[in-house]
Amino acid sequence: MGIPKPPLYVLEYTTKTIDSVLSAAALDGNNVEVDVYDRRDVSKKHVATGRRVKGEDDSFLVSVDTGSGIHEDEWNYTILRESAGRSKKVKR
């Protein structure tokens, strides 16, 4: 088992992203909109779709349409929800 490569697109914890990750729609596995940025150049921001993939890993699949194709990264859904919850408390 190799070391997983880091995601190319990172979730930006905007109010929209926080609300989407914490929403009932996301919890149910429906597509939600999230804000992301390119980890190689943080000025390159995109709107992506994310959805929970229930299973052993309980992941959150983020799909970014960059204009030159679709890129997908997986995130741990439990960790995302915890981070979004903490970010929501801080933004109050």
Side-chain angles (χ1 to χ4, degrees), residues 72-83:
E72 295 183 331
D73 288 310
E74 282 194 21
W75 294 79
N76 180 294
Y77 185 65
T78 303
I79 293 171
L80 280 181
R81 281 188 62 82
E82 289 172 1
S83 296

Side-chain angles (χ1 to χ4, degrees), residues 16-55:
K16 176 174 77 176
T17 297
I18 292 167
D19 290 345
S20 291
V21 168
L22 295 175
S23 71
L27 191 60
D28 291 339
N30 298 318
N31 282 334
V32 294
E33 270 194 7
V34 292
D35 294 321
V36 297
Y37 60 88
D38 188 324
R39 74 175 168 85
R40 300 167 300 183
D41 182 353
V42 297
S43 67
K44 292 182 180 176
K45 299 180 188 257
H46 302 276
V47 174
T49 57
R51 72 177 172 84
R52 179 183 185 195
V53 180
K54 297 176 187 177

Side-chain angles (χ1 to χ4, degrees), residues 5 12 18 22 33 42 48 52-53 57 61-63 68 72 78 81 84 89-91:
K5 65 179 183 168
E12 183 175 12
I18 292 167
L22 295 175
E33 270 194 7
V42 297
R52 179 183 185 195
V53 180
D57 293 335
L61 182 65
V62 176
S63 301
S68 61
E72 295 183 331
T78 303
R81 281 188 62 82
K89 288 178 185 175
V90 169
K91 287 190 181 242

